[in-house]
Amino acid sequence: MTSTNPSGKLVADQLMNDPRVQQAEQLLQAALADAKAQLTEVRGPRQELQESYHQLVERMFAARGAATYFRYLSSGVGNGPWVELADGSVKLDFIVGIGVYGLGHNHPEMLTSSIHAALQSTIMQGNLQQHVDSLKVSELLLKLAKQDSESPLSHCLLTTSGAMANENALKIAFHNRAPADRVICLENCFAGRSIAMAQLTDRPQYRIGLPTALAVDYIPGPDPANPEEALQRSLAALDMHLKRYPGKYATLWLELVAGEGGYYPGSTEYFSKIIERAKQDNLLIIFDEVQTFGRLSRPFAFQHFGLSKYADIVSIGKISQLCATLYGEALKPKGPLLSQTFTAATSAIAAAHVILQKMDDGQWYGPEGENEKRHNYFRERLEQLAAKHPGKISGPWGLGMMIAFTPGDGSPETAGRMVHALYDAGLMSFVAGNKPARIRFLPPPGITHFEHIDAAIEIMDRVLTTFE
Ligand SMILES: Cc1ncc(COP(=O)(O)O)c(C=O)c1O
């Protein structure tokens, strides 16, 4: 057979480098830049769109079968932390889909990656349809995980959701510790919405009517106000469970900063002590990094806390646009346990590659990294605000680009009202935890500048002045 391609280049490379594609991309980038330039501050809704917006939102609630937390429908266009809604209003988005858009809205590099993904032969990738990008993303994730040579993580399985990454993590743990079939978690943890994850998640209302899918036991978590007491409490509870069911526990499941639980970080001392105790009984350690990934002083929270050598199995998601389960060679399943038709959309994989490269270039990380600088600035500004409005907010709490404060009396009712008051004034945040309830921000690490933090503080200041 004769070749019809004298250049010897892959057709795919010819397509991606075709001058028409490059020209189209330049035009799209220029049009996007013009559109974005119009979205640089908070705006109220347009009068003439209010009725149609109301109807759109009601139709969405009806189709979905339940209301969403905010009456939020994006127009589909934004600019960094600014996002336009379908009613013409512009919000300052400091929650970004609960921690998802690491580069904010409409980042030019996301457009480039999406254009290239759109030209590829499949919309989704998966078990029998992997492109080279899937390999690149998997290798980059492992490279980031291996930044500390002690990390045993050497394999990576991509998937579509944090819950599914966690399901795979749990499968690997049970498979390797069979017949042990119990799990130990920290109180107040959140792991996702599948039947097994609803069982792990420490919220009774999330498993109403669901069958008992797993045997889960809880130990009290860290308490930064009383660290030593909290550690002793956790160790005592852990010891009690391990002795009550000897040989029955497969894994100790840990969120290193309780995300949905209210932004309670532990410490190196706390985690290493409870992990060491669990290891005495041969438990595998699972770090659920679906919310923390990318947001602290290192790419992984287990690196931030100096726990790399304990990372048997790690799940990630959200900011990476796709989700994944990482595990070590010793835990490789001995049968066809792990597979999926879809591992992610081709555009999500391309986007993940861009974001992981940003994590790899290191600017976000380290004591002088952008995540820490922004955290410190945001913290300072929140402290000033707390001093100006005594009794109305306290804190702040959290680490890196996970930051929260406690509103007023800390009741869920006050938190809900304040989150909605902030939303109406143009700032998007979200609730977390319930004892006390907190209001949290997950600003996009790639593009949040001090001026955006100032804009958020200015809105909060205004809202707090009249908030009762
Ligand atoms: C720590 C943690 N684990 C798991 C999940 C579930 O991820 P997903 O909603 O993508 O299934 C979440 C989501 O908020 C999370 O914060």
Side-chain angles (χ1 to χ4, degrees):
M1 231 197 287
T2 53
S3 166
T4 53
N5 177 6
S7 73
K9 280 191 185 149
L10 287 178
V11 175
D13 292 336
Q14 290 175 39
L15 175 61
M16 297 309 166
N17 293 310
D18 187 312
R20 289 169 296 182
V21 171
Q22 288 172 1
Q23 196 187 359
E25 185 187 333
Q26 278 165 12
L27 288 170
L28 288 169
Q29 290 285 9
L32 179 63
D34 287 349
K36 284 173 64 176
Q38 299 176 58
L39 304 172
T40 56
E41 60 187 3
V42 164
R43 269 203 303 261
R46 297 227 307 258
Q47 190 66 35
E48 71 277 17
L49 293 176
Q50 281 192 0
E51 182 49 34
S52 61
Y53 186 77
H54 172 76
Q55 282 170 13
L56 282 175
V57 171
E58 291 301 320
R59 276 167 50 201
M60 188 181 69
F61 290 176
R64 190 174 176 267
T68 49
Y69 193 78
F70 296 118
R71 297 182 65 81
Y72 174 94
L73 265 183
S74 163
S75 73
V77 177
N79 175 24
W82 310 102
V83 60
E84 182 187 54
L85 271 53
D87 63 0
S89 62
V90 177
K91 306 271 186 209
L92 179 55
D93 186 2
F94 265 24
I95 198 62
V96 290
I98 320 189
V100 175
Y101 320 119
L103 299 180
H105 294 270
N106 282 108
H107 194 279
E109 290 182 62
M110 292 290 112
L111 175 57
T112 304
S113 66
S114 297
I115 292 168
H116 287 250
L119 288 170
Q120 293 191 30
S121 68
T122 65
I123 307 290
M124 302 291 286
Q125 297 185 36
N127 191 14
L128 288 190
Q129 44 183 18
Q130 317 251 19
H131 301 189
V132 178
D133 283 357
S134 282
L135 168 67
K136 286 189 189 159
V137 162
S138 303
E139 286 185 344
L140 204 40
L141 266 172
L142 290 168
K143 180 181 171 205
L144 291 170
K146 283 271 180 208
Q147 279 184 352
D148 297 340
S149 56
E150 290 179 305
S151 156
L153 301 169
S154 48
H155 301 293
C156 167
L157 188 82
L158 305 182
T159 188
T160 43
S161 72
M164 197 60 211
N166 282 344
E167 289 275 342
N168 288 334
L170 212 48
K171 273 187 176 179
I172 294 169
F174 284 140
H175 175 78
N176 280 282
R177 288 295 182 267
D181 61 358
R182 300 186 79 87
V183 184
I184 300 190
C185 304
L186 295 184
E187 282 174 2
N188 204 21
C189 70
F190 180 89
R193 304 283 193 152
S194 64
I195 289 184
M197 293 309 133
Q199 195 71 52
L200 267 168
T201 295
D202 194 14
R203 302 247 179 118
Q205 70 274 29
Y206 289 1
R207 49 179 115 90
I208 294 171
L210 301 184
T212 303
L214 272 181
V216 184
D217 294 298
Y218 299 91
I219 60 172
D223 176 1
N226 299 297
E228 186 49 34
E229 217 175 280
L231 173 62
Q232 292 313 323
R233 249 198 330 259
S234 303
L235 280 172
L238 181 59
D239 198 58
M240 181 190 71
H241 290 310
L242 292 171
K243 285 182 177 148
R244 180 172 285 152
Y245 293 107
K248 290 295 282 173
Y249 288 101
T251 176
L252 171 65
W253 180 284
L254 293 172
E255 244 182 303
L256 298 175
V257 181
E260 301 306 299
Y263 286 27
Y264 294 91
S267 64
T268 306
E269 154 92 359
Y270 175 87
F271 288 122
S272 29
K273 290 266 166 62
I274 62 165
I275 289 172
E276 287 292 351
R277 175 63 191 90
K279 289 268 172 200
Q280 281 171 18
D281 283 36
N282 205 24
L283 272 68
L284 290 166
I285 307 304
I286 297 179
F287 292 134
D288 177 346
E289 295 233 20
V290 172
Q291 191 157 156
T292 47
F293 183 54
R295 292 192 166 271
L296 306 191
S297 72
R298 303 279 306 274
F300 289 87
F302 69 74
Q303 297 166 330
H304 171 97
F305 286 105
L307 302 169
S308 296
K309 68 175 173 191
Y310 300 119
D312 293 320
I313 307 169
V314 177
S315 53
I316 59 125
K318 288 187 181 282
I319 200 169
S320 39
Q321 305 300 301
L322 48 64
C323 303
T325 313
L326 286 74
Y327 57 98
E329 179 65 23
L331 301 180
K332 229 166 143 173
K334 291 167 193 67
L337 235 66
L338 309 169
S339 187
Q340 253 180 283
T341 305
F342 292 148
T343 47
T346 300
S347 57
I349 292 167
H353 193 244
V354 173
I355 287 163
L356 296 177
Q357 279 176 318
K358 302 247 176 251
M359 292 188 190
D360 192 34
D361 88 12
Q363 277 188 30
W364 295 4
Y365 303 119
E368 296 299 315
E370 288 170 20
N371 282 2
E372 289 306 286
K373 279 194 202 145
R374 294 187 194 113
H375 175 90
N376 292 338
Y377 186 73
F378 206 166
R379 170 178 282 270
E380 241 171 64
R381 299 283 346 248
L382 282 169
E383 279 165 357
Q384 289 162 3
L385 207 59
K388 183 170 172 192
H389 299 278
K392 291 196 176 174
I393 67 169
S394 56
W397 319 94
L399 289 173
M401 297 305 275
M402 297 175 74
I403 195 152
F405 64 88
T406 306
D409 60 4
S411 69
E413 189 271 329
T414 305
R417 274 194 308 112
M418 196 181 283
V419 161
H420 280 95
L422 291 172
Y423 180 84
D424 291 342
L427 175 62
M428 293 187 68
S429 60
F430 197 37
V431 287
N434 55 24
K435 284 185 224 145
R438 291 193 165 143
I439 295 183
R440 65 178 143 160
F441 300 109
L442 288 159
I447 49 88
T448 305
H449 297 301
F450 289 174
E451 76 210 43
H452 300 133
I453 296 171
D454 290 341
I457 295 288
E458 196 264 316
I459 295 170
M460 290 175 68
D461 190 16
R462 232 177 327 117
V463 168
L464 289 174
T465 303
T466 53
F467 190 84
E468 291 304 335

